[in-house]
Amino acid sequence: MATHIDWRAWALSAGLGLLGAPLASAQLQVFACEPEWAALAQELGGEEVDVYSATHPGMDPHHVQAKPSLVARLRAADLSVCTGAGLEVGWLPLVQRRARNARVLPGAPGHFEAAAEVDLLDRPARLDRADGDLHGEGNPHVLLDPRRLEQIARSLALRLQQLDPENAHRHRARWDAFQARWREAEARWSRQSTPLRGRRAIVHHQEWVYLFDWLGIERVAALEPKPGVPPSLQHLSALAELPVADWVVVSPLDDPKAAHWLSARTGAPVVVLPHTVGALDGADDLVLLFDVVVAALLQALR
Ligand SMILES: [Zn+2]
């Protein structure tokens, strides 16, 4: 994370050094499962946290190898900040078992799940991961709705105060500043995104549902017949018969072949959106991430 590197750079320039600095042990050690939660924890925790991100923007958070380095990081953590709702079910439980750190297990104050703080969309009547469905507990990709993100941020700020009462006043001040900045940005996005309302999108993976819920964009269909199941020619052919969508939305992680196939047949433009902080140039923090998303959707309409 850029913010993380900045902090390290600051520590170096302040002559604190990186190894064995007493300050480091005073910081809350944060294990973030995805770059967006690393960015949020860094924004809200400032100098009081040392944030590690288990994944980088080029990795699919559904599929991560439970490497020993992750185990070591979780073992040392005071707080884990993950998505939950089954997003990390393929790897995090294994890392948790191996790390043997009760401070960050479900139910402990050091365990934070973003999805537990908001209303989930696509929540099924019953848990079902049949046929490779990766979203059997409801859609876990809660990041891209600024309203939900504010709820998550508020809860995380409170958790930081709870875990680090000595610095509670600093955490509160950073939360106030974050909320003010966030609301200002949200008003700007609302103004800019008026032309997006009522538009129609086909997506590769169902990871834009919260974005569309916020922007009033209609979800037409997904190239994946089920979350995590690759597009088939039969499925794509059926989508080509639908009324033309305004975009075919993919992330930089998706194989774009299916999207381009559909685009060539229907004329709907393919638009690549960043799915997390750092996934595309310019999406370097949470505010910039939404700036890039809104701008890319508007640009593709022209
Ligand atoms: Zn997914």
Side-chain angles (χ1 to χ4, degrees), residues 60-62 87 134-135 139-141 205-207 224 227-228:
D60 178 350
H62 285 297
L87 183 71
L134 291 176
H135 297 172
N139 194 302
H141 300 284
H205 182 67
Q206 292 277 22
E207 62 195 307
E224 292 181 340

Side-chain angles (χ1 to χ4, degrees), residues 79-156:
L79 170 64
S80 75
V81 183
C82 296
T83 298
L87 183 71
E88 300 99 351
V89 74
W91 57 278
L92 186 60
L94 185 60
V95 175
Q96 285 168 335
R97 272 201 301 282
R98 290 181 178 163
R100 297 172 185 272
N101 178 357
R103 293 192 303 278
V104 295
L105 289 181
H111 181 87
F112 184 90
E113 287 187 359
E117 304 298 329
V118 295
D119 283 338
L120 285 191
L121 299 175
D122 301 345
R123 199 189 274 277
R126 62 184 178 84
L127 176 66
D128 183 10
R129 296 203 186 93
D131 308 325
D133 186 347
L134 291 176
H135 297 172
E137 297 178 32
N139 194 302
H141 300 284
V142 294
L143 167 66
L144 286 172
D145 172 357
R147 302 164 304 181
R148 284 179 168 87
L149 189 74
E150 187 182 324
Q151 281 178 272
I152 294 163
R154 178 192 302 275
S155 299
L156 183 57

